[in-house]
Amino acid sequence: MNVRFLLLALASILPPVVAAEIAARPELYPAPAPIPPPGTREIAPGPFQPNWESFQQYRCPDWFRDAKFGIWAHWGPQCEPEQGDWYARHMYEEGSEIYRYHVAHYGHPSKFGFKDILHEWRAANWNPDELMTRFKNAGAKFFVGMAVHHDNVDLYDSKFQPWNSVNVGPKTDIVARWKAAARKAGLHFGVSNHAAATMNWWASSLGADKTGPLAGIPYDGRQLTKADGKGTWWEGLDPRDLYPPLRPVDGKVSEPDREQFIQRWFVRARDLMDKYQPDYFYHDWSNVPYGQVGLDLMAHYYNSTLAQRGRMDVVMTAKNLNARQRPAMVNDVERGASDQLEEFPWETGTCIGDWHYSRARFEKHGYKTVSQITQILADVVSKNGTLLLSVPIKGDGTIDSDEVAFLDGLGAWMAVNGEAIFGTRPWKIFGEGPTHIKAGDMGEKDLRFTADDIRFTTKGGTLYAIVLGRSSLPVTIKALGSRPDRLLEKPIVSVEQLGAGASVRWSQSEAFL
């Protein structure tokens, strides 16, 4: 057996009242398609029935298992203010840092709300082909574009949501253009869907200040109706299609409104699948959203793929899947890790900074380093996983100089060491070393790998040993000892260091884990 190893280089407050009667004019925006009544969900026919027993026949496609690394554009109108995560929510939370920023730069959210942020977002300098070339050169084998976040704005030519990027803001089909760029670059293409959480996540837009001179004045998410748009830039659009369902202040959504929201979520997601036929579909949700509704969507995706392609080679992901669910789709761990070699393919989704672009993080040079990301990548891949990495994009559609340098550095590392990542499979054990891994979401901040942490991958007759910290030779790998109960089935015949261009002196003793 050949053994190859590599070193990870640490390298006025209320909306204006129209005084004069304005002559009626045609709607400026197309009306959404009618939504079938709740409970009426058409799914493509095929072998997959909408239940977990039927989904056991699913097999994760080899393209995803070989890819190991994808780049994600978690980009939308919340990136326009460049204030980091969850702008659409926090701008309505009185006293928060983003609320104060919004009032100072745009005005009070009773008058200038998130719909107006969307109007400001023009993505004037966005060049998807140029970005995709950078992502591919950095090592990405697939690309994921965000199709809708919790802000409920569809970033594509949506049939059921008129508040979309074709009608408003950039006035272009973001998803279609991302897909074209990915295909041109030879990458698999996916989308992420975060809208299932909108109903509760965005309840802040339905509130009002509790203190100060504007106390009790409803934010625009609560007070506006379609009629209020007359004579404005959004004439013909209904704010009730954008903001979450109304409810009593600090109360719950009524059951009919909840069912209608869920039904609308389903037809929008199905429209996204049918129109763009992505290779990968990401749910920002534990399991599949809304129980049986999510299972229906899952069956539609799998069956429609078979009908379109004659084969089932797509990936659907969700979070916190249990043992019964993990054979049926890919488990996603957000900014976290696994503490074991997983039986089924899985992924970690993380970001080099905030999910939404933060100017302050750039100014502080606060992104993750290439060394940190390659450590996470090696750990994930050694455990049968894939890394999906978000690189934040500014509101205008460009990336900053630190992100350019990061992608260039990552590409340089991949050019030398990608052989130990792409197309590999796990070994008998994922690795060795002293670092304790806490499994689950949000655990990556606690990772502190050392030069004694080793991760293994295999390809053909070669075993790759990846050293996760800065190290000067010699490197000791305990698992490769020569005891009779060793893990190696065949003797080592050669050892080399990737990129070194020279032979490596090595010896084998009886040391073992």
Side-chain angles (χ1 to χ4, degrees), residues 65 341 381-384 424-428 456-458:
R65 299 198 66 195
L341 200 167
V381 171
S382 73
K383 297 169 181 174
N384 203 25
T424 62
R425 294 292 183 268
W427 193 41
K428 297 176 182 179
F456 300 116
T457 61
T458 65

Side-chain angles (χ1 to χ4, degrees), residues 178-195:
W178 277 133
K179 178 180 178 179
R183 292 286 191 253
K184 181 179 178 181
L187 303 182
H188 284 275
F189 173 71
V191 295
S192 65
N193 186 316
H194 311 250

Side-chain angles (χ1 to χ4, degrees), residues 317-321 326 329-333 345-348:
T317 78
K319 301 175 182 177
N320 302 311
L321 300 181
R326 293 189 181 194
M329 58 196 309
V330 170
N331 188 51
D332 176 82
V333 179
W346 62 288
E347 76 172 13
T348 287

Side-chain angles (χ1 to χ4, degrees), residues 38-91:
T40 307
R41 296 185 294 272
E42 293 184 9
I43 63 177
F48 290 95
Q49 300 303 306
N51 59 69
W52 290 112
E53 289 76 15
S54 180
F55 291 138
Q56 299 304 305
Q57 64 186 294
Y58 173 81
R59 295 292 180 271
C60 185
D62 284 341
W63 75 258
F64 184 77
R65 299 198 66 195
D66 291 340
K68 304 302 182 188
F69 178 63
I71 285 184
W72 186 6
H74 195 279
W75 178 58
Q78 291 182 78
C79 298
E80 174 62 24
E82 300 184 355
Q83 296 301 301
D85 286 340
W86 288 15
Y87 192 94
R89 176 172 176 168
H90 296 320
M91 64 170 279

Side-chain angles (χ1 to χ4, degrees), residues 274-509:
D274 293 346
K275 195 167 289 179
Y276 302 95
Q277 300 179 22
D279 304 315
Y280 169 108
F281 196 99
Y282 172 103
H283 285 300
D284 193 358
W285 195 267
S286 292
N287 302 318
V288 294
Y290 301 120
Q292 188 58 52
V293 181
L295 293 176
D296 288 348
L297 183 69
M298 189 172 168
H300 178 79
Y301 186 40
Y302 288 177
N303 286 333
S304 62
T305 295
L306 273 172
Q308 293 157 1
R309 307 183 183 187
R311 62 188 186 281
M312 229 303 291
D313 63 350
V314 295
V315 171
M316 179 175 279
T317 78
K319 301 175 182 177
N320 302 311
L321 300 181
N322 61 36
R324 182 187 182 208
Q325 296 161 341
R326 293 189 181 194
M329 58 196 309
V330 170
N331 188 51
D332 176 82
V333 179
E334 182 174 350
R335 292 188 184 271
S338 173
D339 59 357
Q340 62 184 357
L341 200 167
E342 299 287 349
E343 178 182 1
F344 298 102
W346 62 288
E347 76 172 13
T348 287
T350 191
C351 185
I352 65 171
D354 297 61
W355 291 116
H356 297 91
Y357 188 84
S358 169
R359 187 186 317 130
R361 185 175 289 273
F362 164 60
E363 291 171 349
K364 295 175 182 177
H365 305 292
Y367 294 130
K368 290 185 178 72
T369 65
V370 171
S371 293
Q372 289 173 311
I373 292 301
T374 52
Q375 287 173 336
I376 293 171
L377 174 66
D379 181 64
V380 168
V381 171
S382 73
K383 297 169 181 174
N384 203 25
T386 294
L387 176 63
L388 178 62
L389 180 68
S390 177
V391 177
I393 299 177
K394 295 190 286 185
D396 72 351
T398 62
I399 59 176
D400 61 48
S401 56
D402 283 6
E403 291 173 310
V404 170
F406 170 86
L407 290 170
D408 288 347
L410 183 60
W413 187 91
M414 293 288 197
V416 173
N417 303 309
E419 178 185 331
I421 301 295
F422 306 124
T424 62
R425 294 292 183 268
W427 193 41
K428 297 176 182 179
I429 60 173
F430 68 80
E432 63 182 58
T435 299
H436 172 71
I437 303 293
K438 181 181 178 181
D441 295 341
M442 307 302 172
E444 68 180 19
K445 63 181 180 298
D446 299 322
L447 296 178
R448 299 289 187 275
F449 293 111
T450 73
D452 293 322
D453 290 303
I454 312 292
R455 294 295 180 265
F456 300 116
T457 61
T458 65
K459 188 191 305 179
T462 299
L463 172 66
Y464 298 93
I466 308 173
V467 182
L468 298 191
R470 183 184 292 275
S471 176
S472 56
L473 298 177
V475 172
T476 299
I477 305 175
K478 297 177 181 178
L480 304 186
S482 59
R483 280 176 44 171
D485 57 350
R486 65 188 182 274
L487 293 170
L488 290 173
E489 297 176 351
K490 298 179 180 180
I492 297 172
V493 296
S494 67
V495 177
E496 63 180 279
Q497 181 180 347
L498 294 181
S503 60
V504 175
R505 293 178 60 188
W506 62 278
S507 63
Q508 189 177 25
S509 67

Side-chain angles (χ1 to χ4, degrees), residues 75-396:
W75 178 58
Q78 291 182 78
C79 298
E80 174 62 24
E82 300 184 355
Q83 296 301 301
D85 286 340
W86 288 15
Y87 192 94
R89 176 172 176 168
H90 296 320
M91 64 170 279
Y92 294 107
E93 294 177 336
E94 181 185 6
S96 72
E97 183 177 344
I98 284 179
Y99 169 93
R100 294 193 297 270
Y101 175 90
H102 185 84
V103 170
H105 288 80
Y106 298 109
H108 192 263
S110 63
K111 184 175 182 179
F112 195 104
F114 186 72
K115 70 182 187 313
D116 303 292
I117 293 291
L118 172 58
H119 183 55
E120 295 275 318
W121 180 50
R122 302 305 172 90
N125 298 313
W126 179 48
N127 186 328
D129 287 327
E130 181 179 288
L131 288 171
M132 203 64 63
T133 297
R134 284 197 175 277
F135 298 157
K136 182 177 181 179
N137 290 343
K141 301 302 182 184
F142 67 104
F143 171 82
V144 177
M146 187 166 69
V148 54
H149 197 253
H150 309 324
D151 58 25
N152 216 24
V153 178
D154 285 350
L155 304 177
Y156 56 96
D157 188 12
S158 180
K159 182 178 179 181
F160 298 98
Q161 170 57 300
W163 294 88
N164 65 64
S165 65
V166 175
N167 289 341
V168 190
K171 297 192 175 180
T172 190
D173 191 327
I174 301 291
V175 169
R177 293 179 62 187
W178 277 133
K179 178 180 178 179
R183 292 286 191 253
K184 181 179 178 181
L187 303 182
H188 284 275
F189 173 71
V191 295
S192 65
N193 186 316
H194 311 250
T198 298
M199 184 162 45
N200 295 319
W201 179 89
W202 212 11
S204 60
S205 66
L206 306 177
D209 284 1
K210 296 180 179 179
T211 62
L214 307 179
I217 296 176
Y219 300 146
D220 70 322
R222 172 171 287 276
Q223 64 172 293
L224 295 180
T225 66
K226 186 174 182 179
D228 294 312
K230 193 171 184 180
T232 72
W233 67 264
W234 51 277
E235 180 174 354
L237 291 172
D238 189 344
R240 299 272 50 87
D241 289 331
L242 176 63
Y243 295 104
L246 291 171
R247 68 207 69 183
V249 176
D250 298 327
K252 294 183 178 180
V253 178
S254 70
E255 189 59 26
D257 286 347
R258 180 180 181 276
E259 292 300 319
Q260 183 64 22
F261 177 89
I262 293 171
Q263 178 71 357
R264 191 162 175 252
W265 170 83
F266 172 83
V267 296
R268 286 164 62 190
R270 187 186 61 192
D271 180 45
L272 173 64
M273 290 174 174
D274 293 346
K275 195 167 289 179
Y276 302 95
Q277 300 179 22
D279 304 315
Y280 169 108
F281 196 99
Y282 172 103
H283 285 300
D284 193 358
W285 195 267
S286 292
N287 302 318
V288 294
Y290 301 120
Q292 188 58 52
V293 181
L295 293 176
D296 288 348
L297 183 69
M298 189 172 168
H300 178 79
Y301 186 40
Y302 288 177
N303 286 333
S304 62
T305 295
L306 273 172
Q308 293 157 1
R309 307 183 183 187
R311 62 188 186 281
M312 229 303 291
D313 63 350
V314 295
V315 171
M316 179 175 279
T317 78
K319 301 175 182 177
N320 302 311
L321 300 181
N322 61 36
R324 182 187 182 208
Q325 296 161 341
R326 293 189 181 194
M329 58 196 309
V330 170
N331 188 51
D332 176 82
V333 179
E334 182 174 350
R335 292 188 184 271
S338 173
D339 59 357
Q340 62 184 357
L341 200 167
E342 299 287 349
E343 178 182 1
F344 298 102
W346 62 288
E347 76 172 13
T348 287
T350 191
C351 185
I352 65 171
D354 297 61
W355 291 116
H356 297 91
Y357 188 84
S358 169
R359 187 186 317 130
R361 185 175 289 273
F362 164 60
E363 291 171 349
K364 295 175 182 177
H365 305 292
Y367 294 130
K368 290 185 178 72
T369 65
V370 171
S371 293
Q372 289 173 311
I373 292 301
T374 52
Q375 287 173 336
I376 293 171
L377 174 66
D379 181 64
V380 168
V381 171
S382 73
K383 297 169 181 174
N384 203 25
T386 294
L387 176 63
L388 178 62
L389 180 68
S390 177
V391 177
I393 299 177
K394 295 190 286 185
D396 72 351

